[in-house]
Amino acid sequence: MPPPRTREGRGHREHPRAPCEEAPERWDWNHPDTRRLMEDAFFRDEDYIRQGSEECQKFWAFFERLQRFQSLKTARKEEEKDPEPCKHSIPALADLPRTYDPRYRINLSILGPDPWGSRELGRRLPPERVSEFRRALLHYLDFGQKQAFGRLAKLQRERVALPIAQYRKRILRTLREHQVVVVAGDTGCGKSTQVPQYVLAAGFSHVACTQPRRIACISLAKRVGFESLSQYGSQVGYQIRFESTRSAATKIVFLTVGLLLRQIQREPSLPQYQVLIVDEVHERHLHNDFLLGVLQRLLPRRPDLKVILMSATINITLFSSYFGGAPVVQVPGRLFPITVVYQPLEAEPTTARPEKLDPQPFLRVLEAIDKKYPPEERGDLLVFLSGVAEISAVLEAAQTYASHTQRWVVLPLHSTLAVADQDKVFDVAPPGVRKCILSTNIAETSVTIDGIRFVVDSASLSDSLLIFPRHQSFSVWAGCTCGQPAPSDSNTCESRNSAEALLPGLMKSMDVGDPRTFPFIEPPPAASLETAILYLRDQGALDSTESLTPIGSLLAQLPVDVVIGKMLILGSVFHLTEPVLTIAAALSVQSPFTRSAQSNPECAAARRPLESDQGDPFTLFNIFNSWVQVKSERSSDSRKWCRRRGIEEQRLYEMANLRRQFKDLLEDHGLLAGAQAPRPGDSHGRLRERRERQALLQLKRQHEEGGARRRKVLRLREEQEGGSSDEDAASGGRAAGHGVDIQDVKFKLRHNLEQLQAAATSAQDLTRDQMALLELVLGRGLYPQLAVPDPFNSGRKDSDQIFHTQTKQGTVLHPTCVFASSPEVLHAQKPENGPGPGSRGDKDKGSSRHQLLVFVSLLETNKPYLVNCVRIPALQSLLLFSRSLDTSGDCSRLVADGWLELQLADAESAVRLLAAALQLRAHWESILDRQLAHCTKRRLEEEEEEALTVSHKEVAALSRDLLQFMVPKIPYSLRRLTGLEVQNLYVGPQTIMATPSLPGVFGSSTLSPHPTKGGFIVTDFLTYNCLTSDTDLYSDCLRTFWTCPHCGLHMPLTPLERIAHENTCPDAPRDSLAGAEEAAPEPVQKASALQRPYRCETCQKDFVFTPTEVLRHRKQHV
Amino acid sequence: MASETEGMPQGVFQCQLCAVSAPYSYVGQKPPNTRSVVLLEECYILKDPFTADRGRFLVLGSRCSICGRLVCVGPDCSLFYSKRFCLPCVRENMNAFPQEIRQDVEKRKALAKTPCGEPGSRT
Ligand SMILES: [Zn+2]
Ligand SMILES: [Zn+2]
């Protein structure tokens, strides 16, 4: 078929003269004016085909072919009459047309416009031309009908050919007779796509089908919608976090296990469903297992609820017996052959693991296929590889091979790929050429790619290449919850999904008791549960007794990543919702930087003004805001703007969507007062807005009619434009053909650009204080995902900067990280103005400006990379955030979370700082608790009054105190403890020890000894004087005479005693820090408040000692 | 909302010859959502599932005007020649049809015996 040429080109080249009315005999179908005349008459807006649509172009191509065909035919064949048919006895046959005409074979008729009704048209359109056109149009419509019906029939044939099709009746019958049915069948038997349809066709209408992965929800909903022929209807929907295609008409919804659990959390009896299909139950992760446990309890209470468990053909009896011997319908595997190619793998070199994966075995597979199967036997190859690095290794070699043989198109598939490039795997290869898709296992069981015939699973390359449903091992996500995704995992975002990490929290909130004793189908590995619980404790969602904290119970309801949830909640407290929304959204999508952006210096230069040396989230924040500004000024420029900066615009659209969903979420949970949309006040403005909206909707409709994303034929030499995913043609919406950026249209339809712009503008006006608070919010949100710079970094090259986390040494910055190009901002500068206040000139005590990095994720590919980092002041952040703080006797030495040591130059300042931190934390916590309690209450009672329990004044005071606290004052040294030091960190439990009383320093609570560390528990995070250290023994001797400036007391005191006195001195004025709770002021007895009676068992004497005096005394006996 | 219900299936169409089945949303000669096309027989119609355009429809089948069987429009089951005829009825009354139709039916028979098309290869 000839390629459709453009109308303009043809008209210009062949027929420069205008046609029609003056010279009807020179009627020219090819002239654009002629065509326009016809289109004006037949392809109006309300007609079956619309002018300017793709359909219209297709029609003219068809028209040309038809004309050629007919001219051939008429030339060959003379008018020939059929023999007179005898009058038939069957009435239906009696009045058949006598003369054959192809038009009688078409069951359609076109009610075209009546050109004779309008004189103007009638004059310009000769009737014979109109009927010629009408006839062609009829044939075209008929052709379209035949084609579409052919597709439908093919679809049905394929469905019927699936192995599971023969079991349809049995499955449905068993389901009617039993409450639970296990359907077991291996990949390819069609259970995931067919069983939901069987259930629907059997008349059930409230069906939920859970999937372990989000991407599977989307692809299955699309596939099932398509197969059940209601793709654009609304009976089949999906629901994943933040995204739902569910409507009132939805009969079946595909959703993630986590989301279903949340629905159960809200309505434990799950009244909204009639049938529940739990797919991939054999993938034993906590979520599925927990769901099964919950269902087992629920079923007796919901006898009308039907459950179908779908599993691979392993462990079937386990599931069956867990549900009281539920019947099993077992389906054999695929009927059509999946070819197994066996390629022995050469023994791996015994030296350290090779830098790069050896692509040779994969090339041999390509070769073997080429040798064994003729090119006309179609069928593509799918190769599963463990990560992106592996994919690029094989890609390179396979592309070389492909360009040599001209028989392959090699396509990578992983989640960090541009969307447009991901979509290429659905395109078709030209005849004689096969697709070779190199995929991480995101594609496994979740993306349906047609036409795959060969499957290579690199994990099993050593023994067999048979596709096999592998177990999603639990340890993968357990590792991820620590902010450390599995090695080279492309599912980073997904595995860090809060829903999984939060499971123990969810279980707590659902009142199922201790997760450790929950009747799981099989007890999960204890370590994994413990890891998850520990993670939640680290994140502050569970307290030390493993009860949900207020923030934890809110987090258990928010379907977001724990870290993101924390940020959103904290941000709302400080009235920083708008900026935090943007940052949270930016951190929840994949990096917007394209691969070429990393290497192209022009992109880097163009991006530089947007970079923030505070950290990557702020850079993303700037990028998003600037992009919104560009959009609101001239939205057509935004794509170019992005490309110039090496930014994938698609990600920014995703951010905008996510940002809005986060906002809705906050509103739903009472954390954000209803939107104050700046509506255009006057009717004129509203009218304009409505018109704009209608125009956009029109554009969107036109685009959709053009077939949003159609399968294309791949070019053989794909690699020629390799990596150029940011070229115009491939980028973003792929709508260049229509000159409409459909993404832009959708964006404008979905978002209120004015509101976004207002937020972006206000972002530029954030005060320094607000920025500092934002950093605090991020810091606390991301804590404890932090890394400490290596002390020797300042002497290293930019690219060699290394950082240590608590569990991982020697991590490096991701190349896109802002600190990778300017690491000097992380180096602790020397105090600018000589020794700072309070410094005793001790050089070793270092700087007051040490910094830590908090990061969003740790990505392990060939190196462990820190991704999305923010720098925060070390001492202050650790004092405010750490779960565990241990002090020496004079508090000048602190150990945070058992791995970071802070040595402060000046003990007195140390105690002051510690005391201030305690008060700040208490105050912050109390505000947070009241705010959250208020939210829950407001939501429950649906009351609208704004009776805030937390006053703006109180928040302002806290903000002020926090900011003041963050100002670096005291020089100190910062160090990661060695393994040996960590082991010998604590003095351990002391049999005899006097309880110190430090009124005022650590609040008014009485202190009890710490059972394992030694020392005394001050708060749930602070343990006083539990560190082993020599220096501590002497620091307490340093009593110097001191006069209280308030009451005039004059005594020799240690710094700690001094502070203790000052804080409780009746004559001292109250400062702002002593705001939150008024500690009942105990009158100072005397300066030796630390002293307690002590009886030494060794020398059998009684003393009055301070704790350090006790230690010193005991040392004498050793 | 009206448009929502218009697309809702009214029932399931099933061909009595080849058993192909699909939900239909309309029966008649005037497909909904389009004013410019009418049908020359009472058809079972589905909104075209292969396009987003609401106005596009897909004819599934209709009744044979001789035997009254419900048949699909597939070339192996029926043909249209000013009316719908199922292939068994056409074969029975071959001589009532013009030569073009007769040739066409013979051709279909031959084609049905040697099925071609790409081999099924999908996961
Ligand atoms: Zn049929
Ligand atoms: Zn018949």
Side-chain angles (χ1 to χ4, degrees):
Chain A
M1 117 180 31
R5 290 168 289 176
T6 60
R7 280 181 277 157
E8 292 75 16
R10 177 176 304 111
H12 179 73
R13 196 176 60 239
E14 294 169 15
H15 300 276
R17 213 167 63 83
C20 46
E21 64 257 55
E22 308 92 23
E25 73 280 0
R26 305 260 340 230
W27 182 269
D28 178 10
W29 279 116
N30 287 332
H31 198 283
D33 289 348
T34 317
R35 292 190 173 189
R36 193 154 309 129
L37 266 181
M38 285 297 175
E39 288 174 6
D40 284 344
F42 284 91
F43 296 166
R44 295 159 307 169
D45 262 4
E46 67 271 25
D47 282 324
Y48 203 67
I49 294 176
R50 270 177 279 273
Q51 199 161 22
S53 65
E54 199 178 335
E55 197 68 28
C56 177
Q57 287 174 31
K58 276 200 219 155
F59 166 76
W60 284 114
F62 179 87
F63 185 85
E64 284 164 29
R65 262 182 296 146
L66 190 72
Q67 292 243 310
R68 272 197 300 279
F69 177 72
Q70 276 176 343
S71 64
L72 281 176
K73 229 180 172 181
T74 43
R76 188 164 41 88
K77 187 181 157 193
E78 275 308 300
E79 192 88 354
E80 176 196 313
K81 288 250 166 179
D82 248 338
E84 186 85 352
C86 51
K87 271 281 177 197
H88 213 284
S89 56
I90 301 172
L93 295 169
D95 55 350
L96 287 183
R98 293 193 178 178
T99 316
Y100 176 80
D101 189 302
R103 140 182 84 210
Y104 296 134
R105 308 205 49 181
I106 297 173
N107 64 346
L108 305 155
S109 176
I110 297 159
L111 303 174
D114 190 2
W116 297 276
S118 144
R119 217 187 291 153
E120 166 66 3
L121 265 180
R123 195 167 58 82
R124 301 175 66 183
L125 292 178
E128 68 275 15
R129 297 303 180 188
V130 170
S131 53
E132 195 179 341
F133 181 87
R134 195 185 281 270
R135 203 179 157 93
L137 185 52
L138 266 183
H139 278 287
Y140 177 73
L141 294 182
D142 187 52
F143 172 73
Q145 286 291 324
K146 289 202 167 85
Q147 231 181 6
F149 185 82
R151 284 180 78 183
L152 185 144
K154 178 166 178 257
L155 202 64
Q156 293 237 315
R157 280 198 302 275
E158 283 167 355
R159 283 189 61 194
V160 172
L162 284 170
I164 193 141
Q166 295 165 35
Y167 294 81
R168 184 177 68 91
K169 284 191 179 141
R170 221 169 102 194
I171 292 169
L172 290 173
R173 193 176 59 230
T174 320
L175 188 65
R176 267 192 292 273
E177 289 161 6
H178 298 87
Q179 194 173 11
V180 182
V181 179
V182 180
V183 174
D186 283 325
T187 313
C189 77
K191 58 183 188 306
S192 297
T193 55
Q194 302 306 304
V195 172
Q197 296 186 65
Y198 299 163
V199 170
L200 273 190
F204 293 99
S205 57
H206 299 278
V207 184
C209 180
T210 68
Q211 293 294 324
R213 280 169 291 276
R214 265 181 264 156
I215 188 167
C217 295
I218 303 175
S219 65
L220 276 174
K222 282 188 181 155
R223 185 74 201 173
V224 168
F226 179 71
E227 286 190 13
S228 60
L229 306 175
S230 67
Q231 187 178 17
Y232 299 97
S234 41
Q235 289 187 46
V236 184
Y238 66 86
Q239 203 174 1
I240 56 177
R241 59 167 206 166
F242 312 134
E243 215 183 317
S244 172
T245 59
R246 200 175 174 166
S247 71
T250 305
K251 286 188 170 176
I252 181 164
V253 61
F254 290 87
L255 76 179
T256 54
V257 184
L259 219 53
L260 183 73
L261 283 172
R262 277 173 202 289
Q263 294 180 354
I264 300 177
Q265 179 192 17
R266 250 172 271 135
E267 290 185 278
S269 70
L270 220 49
Q272 64 269 52
Y273 299 120
Q274 218 179 344
V275 182
L276 204 59
I277 303 173
V278 186
D279 201 359
E280 319 284 4
V281 280
H282 58 275
E283 285 191 14
R284 306 295 307 283
H285 51 77
L286 262 189
H287 252 182
N288 251 348
D289 284 6
F290 178 52
L291 175 63
L292 294 183
V294 170
L295 287 179
Q296 195 204 35
R297 291 176 165 202
L298 170 64
L299 287 178
R301 284 188 287 135
R302 276 284 315 272
D304 57 320
L305 181 70
K306 300 282 187 183
V307 174
I308 301 175
L309 306 176
M310 301 211 286
S311 150
T313 49
I314 44 169
N315 267 340
I316 308 169
T317 44
L318 177 72
F319 300 111
S320 166
S321 57
Y322 189 60
F323 287 94
V328 177
V329 178
Q330 191 161 352
V331 182
R334 61 186 72 230
L335 291 180
F336 41 88
I338 260 254
T339 309
V340 179
V341 184
Y342 176 72
Q343 284 294 338
L345 192 68
E346 277 150 34
E348 226 172 271
T350 41
T351 50
R353 62 172 190 173
E355 273 298 292
K356 238 174 149 189
L357 179 76
D358 178 18
Q360 276 310 314
F362 299 93
L363 291 188
R364 280 199 294 274
V365 172
L366 296 189
E367 263 172 4
I369 293 173
D370 282 344
K371 232 178 263 165
K372 247 177 153 168
Y373 303 91
E376 55 274 15
E377 252 186 52
R378 303 206 68 150
D380 300 324
L381 168 67
L382 176 61
V383 181
F384 289 124
L385 291 157
S386 53
V388 179
E390 287 74 16
I391 286 181
S392 41
V394 178
L395 183 70
E396 207 175 297
Q399 273 178 343
T400 314
Y401 176 81
S403 67
H404 175 65
T405 61
Q406 301 281 304
R407 283 174 67 174
W408 292 90
V409 172
V410 191
L411 300 170
L413 174 62
H414 51 83
S415 60
T416 59
L417 214 57
V419 182
D421 288 335
Q422 285 184 15
D423 279 349
K424 278 188 188 157
V425 303
F426 299 108
D427 293 336
V428 260
V433 176
R434 297 176 202 281
K435 277 189 290 187
C436 167
I437 298 165
L438 306 173
S439 168
T440 51
N441 39 17
I442 51 164
E444 190 179 327
T445 68
S446 49
V447 182
T448 308
I449 306 167
D450 287 346
I452 299 293
R453 180 165 172 194
F454 311 98
V455 179
V456 172
D457 190 339
S458 70
S460 53
L461 199 60
S462 49
D463 43 315
S464 149
L465 300 186
L466 187 63
I467 181 169
F468 189 75
R470 269 179 295 158
H471 286 237
Q472 185 84 0
S473 80
F474 173 73
S475 59
V476 171
W477 80 255
C480 295
T481 57
C482 312
Q484 294 169 359
S488 49
D489 188 356
S490 61
N491 295 335
T492 312
C493 299
E494 197 142 349
S495 2
R496 285 195 326 111
N497 180 357
S498 67
E500 304 216 314
L502 261 173
L503 182 72
L506 193 63
M507 295 177 72
K508 294 273 181 191
S509 74
M510 286 167 72
D511 260 347
V512 296
D514 188 345
R516 294 179 189 82
T517 56
F518 183 80
F520 281 108
I521 185 162
E522 273 178 334
S528 60
L529 258 184
E530 293 304 329
T531 313
I533 291 170
L534 194 68
Y535 172 72
L536 290 180
R537 278 177 57 178
D538 282 347
Q539 291 289 351
L542 295 178
D543 64 16
S544 50
T545 65
E546 288 180 15
S547 311
L548 279 174
T549 61
I551 206 169
S553 54
L554 186 54
L555 283 172
Q557 293 164 38
L558 292 179
V560 296
D561 191 282
V562 181
V563 167
I564 301 295
K566 265 164 52 183
M567 273 184 214
L568 290 172
I569 295 169
L570 293 168
S572 74
V573 171
F574 290 111
H575 313 297
L576 289 168
T577 308
E578 292 291 338
V580 169
L581 279 171
T582 305
I583 291 177
L587 296 181
S588 304
V589 307
Q590 281 164 31
S591 166
F593 302 120
T594 57
R595 248 154 223 261
S596 62
Q598 289 175 34
S599 49
N600 185 341
E602 277 172 42
C603 288
R607 232 173 29 225
R608 193 135 308 133
L610 298 172
E611 279 175 0
S612 161
D613 73 354
Q614 287 312 121
D616 305 311
F618 295 97
T619 302
L620 296 175
F621 181 59
N622 292 340
I623 287 176
F624 184 82
N625 289 329
S626 308
W627 177 72
V628 168
Q629 299 288 13
V630 171
K631 276 248 171 238
S632 54
E633 277 154 31
R634 263 194 62 146
S635 64
S636 52
D637 291 350
S638 73
R639 196 190 284 192
K640 208 163 110 197
W641 184 91
C642 285
R643 197 168 55 236
R644 195 165 288 161
R645 284 158 185 79
I647 294 165
E648 173 103 51
E649 191 172 29
Q650 178 62 25
R651 305 285 175 235
L652 299 180
Y653 285 118
E654 288 169 13
M655 282 182 207
N657 293 343
L658 211 54
R659 185 184 192 282
R660 186 190 159 143
Q661 283 150 351
F662 283 153
K663 195 169 183 176
D664 292 347
L665 213 59
L666 289 187
E667 274 171 23
D668 286 354
H669 287 84
L671 285 165
L672 187 64
Q676 58 287 23
R679 296 241 130 243
D682 56 315
S683 59
H684 181 70
R686 275 198 297 273
L687 191 68
R688 199 196 59 216
E689 198 178 71
R690 202 164 61 227
R691 280 215 195 100
E692 279 168 8
R693 218 178 147 71
Q694 273 165 355
L696 288 169
L697 277 168
Q698 167 89 6
L699 276 175
K700 182 169 174 251
R701 204 186 62 191
Q702 280 171 1
H703 173 80
E704 277 166 359
E705 280 160 16
R709 159 89 180 118
R710 323 185 52 230
R711 286 177 71 171
K712 299 184 176 168
V713 175
L714 289 160
R715 261 173 292 174
L716 180 58
R717 295 178 64 86
E718 198 70 31
E719 73 273 22
Q720 281 177 343
E721 33 140 41
S724 62
S725 63
D726 41 344
E727 287 303 311
D728 239 0
S731 75
R734 277 212 178 197
H738 292 280
V740 175
D741 184 349
I742 190 64
Q743 294 285 19
D744 181 57
V745 172
K746 284 185 182 164
F747 171 79
K748 285 185 190 145
L749 275 174
R750 203 173 288 166
H751 303 285
N752 183 333
L753 193 53
E754 276 174 58
Q755 254 181 47
L756 272 178
Q757 198 205 351
T761 310
S762 68
Q764 287 165 350
D765 302 337
L766 284 179
T767 63
R768 259 194 25 205
D769 284 356
Q770 283 173 310
M771 278 304 281
L773 279 174
L774 206 51
E775 271 174 63
L776 261 173
V777 165
L778 253 68
R780 183 163 171 192
L782 293 172
Y783 197 91
Q785 290 164 198
L786 68 134
V788 57
D790 188 83
F792 299 109
N793 272 354
S794 55
R796 288 193 175 97
K797 279 196 304 183
D798 283 8
S799 52
D800 293 347
Q801 306 280 312
I802 56 173
F803 300 83
H804 312 291
T805 73
Q806 185 170 10
T807 51
K808 189 117 206 151
Q809 291 200 54
T811 64
V812 296
L813 296 171
H814 195 265
T816 56
C817 177
V818 60
F819 304 123
S821 50
S822 52
E824 62 284 352
V825 299
L826 294 177
H827 301 155
Q829 302 115 315
K830 301 216 162 58
E832 297 94 77
N833 314 317
S839 157
R840 273 173 277 174
D842 188 348
K843 269 188 198 158
D844 290 348
K845 297 305 181 192
S847 161
S848 62
R849 295 170 183 276
H850 292 284
Q851 296 177 89
L852 298 170
L853 287 182
V854 278
F855 56 88
V856 177
S857 53
L858 196 145
L859 180 75
E860 293 204 47
T861 53
N862 50 345
K863 286 178 191 166
Y865 287 111
L866 301 178
V867 181
N868 281 332
C869 303
V870 180
R871 61 187 172 105
I872 54 171
L875 172 64
Q876 297 91 323
S877 305
L878 290 173
L879 287 175
L880 286 180
F881 306 145
S882 48
R883 292 283 128 216
S884 136
L885 265 180
D886 305 306
T887 78
S888 62
D890 67 350
C891 299
S892 70
R893 186 170 163 246
L894 302 167
V895 172
D897 293 327
W899 70 288
L900 286 174
E901 184 198 66
L902 301 147
Q903 184 76 57
L904 281 74
D906 172 42
E908 186 180 331
S909 321
V911 178
R912 280 182 203 285
L913 209 56
L914 195 58
L918 283 183
Q919 285 200 356
L920 273 173
R921 283 175 77 140
H923 194 189
W924 194 350
E925 232 40 53
S926 126
I927 286 184
L928 198 56
D929 288 0
R930 277 176 290 152
Q931 181 104 343
L932 294 179
H934 174 67
C935 294
T936 348
K937 212 168 69 199
R938 211 187 68 155
R939 203 152 54 90
L940 287 178
E941 297 169 5
E942 297 284 344
E943 64 181 60
E944 274 306 310
E945 53 176 301
E946 285 297 301
L948 280 174
T949 44
V950 183
S951 71
H952 281 260
K953 235 166 118 188
E954 213 178 330
V955 172
L958 173 67
S959 310
R960 195 186 54 231
D961 294 345
L962 278 171
L963 291 175
Q964 212 188 347
F965 180 79
M966 296 309 276
V967 176
K969 294 178 207 97
I970 309 166
Y972 62 97
S973 64
L974 168 70
R975 191 167 75 87
R976 179 185 204 275
L977 293 175
T978 65
L980 199 67
E981 284 171 314
V982 171
Q983 276 175 30
N984 304 306
L985 194 53
Y986 302 114
V987 289
Q990 305 292 304
T991 39
I992 338 129
M993 198 159 177
T995 311
S997 163
L998 300 171
V1001 177
F1002 300 134
S1004 53
S1005 52
T1006 38
L1007 307 181
S1008 55
H1010 194 286
T1012 52
K1013 292 179 181 177
F1016 294 91
I1017 301 170
V1018 180
T1019 66
D1020 61 344
F1021 60 89
L1022 181 66
T1023 312
Y1024 167 71
N1025 201 12
C1026 60
L1027 297 174
T1028 45
S1029 163
D1030 303 329
T1031 51
D1032 281 350
L1033 294 175
Y1034 307 108
S1035 65
D1036 228 21
C1037 311
L1038 296 170
R1039 280 192 189 167
T1040 46
F1041 272 95
W1042 177 75
T1043 313
C1044 174
H1046 309 300
C1047 69
L1049 176 90
H1050 183 72
M1051 280 195 78
L1053 294 175
T1054 66
L1056 200 61
E1057 289 162 350
R1058 233 181 276 166
I1059 307 279
H1061 170 79
E1062 237 187 313
N1063 279 342
T1064 52
C1065 177
D1067 297 345
R1070 299 273 139 231
D1071 62 15
S1072 65
L1073 278 182
E1077 67 263 65
E1078 211 58 53
E1082 275 173 55
V1084 222
Q1085 297 106 10
K1086 46 186 168 92
S1088 52
L1090 284 165
Q1091 292 173 335
R1092 281 278 180 249
Y1094 171 70
R1095 182 177 169 81
C1096 177
E1097 297 296 321
T1098 318
C1099 53
Q1100 298 287 320
K1101 279 185 199 156
D1102 289 305
F1103 301 97
V1104 179
F1105 274 163
T1106 66
T1108 29
E1109 283 166 344
V1110 173
L1111 277 181
R1112 223 177 307 142
H1113 177 85
R1114 285 171 59 212
K1115 272 245 160 132
Q1116 295 172 350
H1117 299 305
V1118 180
Chain B
M1 271 295 105
S3 61
E4 283 280 338
T5 47
E6 263 169 21
M8 293 308 271
Q10 309 285 303
V12 175
F13 167 90
Q14 184 165 39
C15 173
Q16 293 180 6
L17 292 175
C18 73
V20 74
S21 72
Y24 65 89
S25 49
Y26 171 82
V27 187
Q29 291 184 260
K30 292 180 143 195
N33 294 322
T34 177
R35 280 189 286 155
S36 53
V37 180
V38 289
L39 298 163
L40 304 177
E41 54 175 342
E42 292 266 314
C43 288
Y44 285 75
I45 284 170
L46 170 69
K47 192 208 107 17
D48 186 347
F50 306 110
T51 150
D53 189 341
R54 270 195 323 126
R56 310 217 136 232
F57 59 86
L58 171 58
V59 175
L60 296 167
S62 62
R63 293 198 178 274
C64 170
S65 46
I66 296 179
C67 68
R69 258 192 285 229
L70 195 56
V71 285
C72 75
V73 296
D76 298 331
C77 295
S78 75
L79 61 77
F80 187 83
Y81 185 66
S82 85
K83 297 185 185 69
R84 176 73 48 193
F85 297 101
C86 73
L87 283 201
C89 286
V90 175
R91 290 205 186 91
E92 233 167 80
N93 303 283
M94 231 16 170
N95 56 359
F97 291 91
Q99 190 200 346
E100 285 84 352
I101 301 284
R102 294 199 296 266
Q103 282 172 350
D104 189 41
V105 171
E106 290 305 318
K107 213 159 69 191
R108 286 182 194 187
K109 213 178 194 173
L111 272 178
K113 270 178 194 151
T114 53
C116 62
E118 53 201 291
S121 54
R122 47 178 60 227
T123 51

